[in-house]
Structures are given as structure tokens and as C-alpha cells.
Amino acid sequence: MTRLIIWRHGNTDWNAESRVQGQTDVPLNALGREQARAAAPVLAALRPDAVVASDLRRAADTAAALAALTGLPVRSDARLRERHFGQWQGLALTEVAERFPDEYARWRAGDPDPGAGIENLDDLGKRLGAAFRDAADLAAGGTVVVTTHGGGARQGVGHLLGWDHTVLRSVGSLANCHWTELRHDDVRGWHLRAHNVGLITQPALTDAV
């Protein structure tokens, strides 16, 4: 049985400001670095066989905290980047609501393709799902930790599990530095074992930020 741990990066200043990050390369802040250091020993105790991360700094630096304890190299995969948020990237959500009211309303309602240059959810799920499968193949029968982003994590998990958008909307977001655990075997395929696991209690921010 293969275990896949999908770990969201630590906090950033843009998370704290409810500013849309998307694929903008925003670093961890002091809280995010502390979150990564606190979570790393828990994940190291799972004895991972491989660590893979998005190439964006907030994910790569989160993964580096785990690598420092395990001695494992961090493999970089650009497919693990967050959803591209088009014209919204860099804007506060309050600005988005004012400048793109129609697209914002569609996004809030769960439209998979709300406009404004935002990446389609189906494309996002396929991109992340493929990256998750390739990461799991690095240690079939073992444990792999993948460090990625909130929105991408949810859609990638949904793609592996075969869940549609309406089901995914009922699943809570990953808080910063929390993780989802999936398992895979030849009989059941992919199945969910745990979600939003972590040490630090905090409200989960919207996937966009």
C-alpha cells in the first residue's frame, strides 16, 4: 500500500492579508517558517521515502524543513503550483470583488471556469492529479510527502478520488501547513484516510490566497 501525504505550505504575508497569490512566488513569513518547523517532526515520524514540492518558494521552503530532518532531497515539480488566478493575482479579495463582480460571484458559486484568465478547475485537477501519481510512483508501497498549495491540493485529490466539483465544494480547505493523507492499493485504488491534519489550530483561509 502506498501512502501519499499532501502538505499545504506554511503561512505567507499574502495569506494573512487575504491577497490572491495564485502562481506569484510569495515567500513564507515568520509564522509560516515556524509552522513548517513544528510540523516537520510529525511528518518525519511517518518515515517518508521521498519528498516532492512545488517550485514556488512557499512550498519549497516548507518541504525543506522536512528534508532537514530526514536527509531526503526535495524533488521539484512545477505541476504542483497553485491554480493560476489570471488577472486577480496580487489583488486583495476585496479588490477582486469590486473590480470583477461577475467573475467573483461565479467563483464564489463554484463555477469551474469563472473567467478573468483563471485556470479551469478541470485542468487544475488533471495537472495536480498527474503530479501526485508521479510522486507516488517514486516509492510504490512506501510513503511520499508532496508539498503544494491549498486550491491545487483539493482539486488534485478530487481528481485521484474521482470526485466532481459539487462533492469537492463540501470538503473543507486545508489550513496552512496541514495535510491530507491518501492511500493506494491494487484492490481499492485511491482512498482518503485523513484530511486537514496538523498541529496548529487556525481558520482555513480561502483557497485563492
Side-chain angles (χ1 to χ4, degrees):
M1 181 177 293
T2 302
R3 177 167 56 183
L4 186 63
I5 304 296
I6 299 167
W7 189 21
R8 187 186 178 192
H9 62 79
N11 194 261
T12 71
D13 287 343
W14 283 24
N15 283 147
E17 297 168 3
S18 292
R19 189 171 297 278
V20 182
Q21 293 180 124
Q23 294 188 7
T24 308
D25 199 7
V26 182
L28 296 175
N29 59 21
L31 172 59
R33 292 190 294 272
E34 177 56 33
Q35 289 172 332
R37 285 193 295 267
V42 179
L43 293 176
L46 300 178
R47 304 181 70 177
D49 299 288
V51 180
V52 186
S54 159
D55 62 343
L56 297 179
R57 283 182 292 171
R58 58 192 185 271
D61 289 349
T62 299
L66 177 59
L69 295 181
T70 63
L72 294 168
V74 178
R75 300 169 185 258
S76 182
D77 190 338
R79 294 175 299 172
L80 294 169
R81 289 183 177 188
E82 179 60 287
R83 184 182 192 183
H84 197 286
F85 274 87
Q87 299 174 60
W88 294 9
Q89 294 189 164
L91 299 179
L93 282 177
T94 52
E95 295 175 301
V96 169
E98 292 172 359
R99 293 173 55 179
F100 300 89
D102 294 339
E103 293 89 344
Y104 180 75
R106 289 199 292 272
W107 173 70
R108 293 284 294 174
D111 189 328
D113 192 10
I118 298 172
E119 185 176 3
N120 183 285
L121 283 182
D122 288 330
D123 293 339
L124 177 65
K126 290 174 183 176
R127 170 165 64 85
L128 269 293
F132 290 168
R133 285 194 188 94
D134 288 347
D137 287 344
L138 294 172
T143 297
V144 178
V145 176
V146 174
T147 310
T148 184
H149 308 264
R154 180 156 65 180
Q155 292 304 132
V157 166
H159 184 76
L160 290 186
L161 296 175
W163 294 355
D164 64 25
H165 302 308
T166 57
V167 174
L168 283 177
R169 278 179 59 77
S170 69
V171 178
S173 301
L174 279 176
N176 285 119
C177 244
H178 284 52
W179 57 88
T180 294
E181 179 181 338
L182 299 179
R183 302 259 183 127
H184 183 274
D185 62 52
D186 293 337
V187 176
R188 297 179 59 189
W190 287 104
H191 50 282
L192 179 68
R193 292 294 296 268
H195 177 64
N196 206 31
V197 180
L199 299 179
I200 302 170
T201 302
Q202 60 179 325
L205 298 173
T206 179
D207 290 336
V209 298

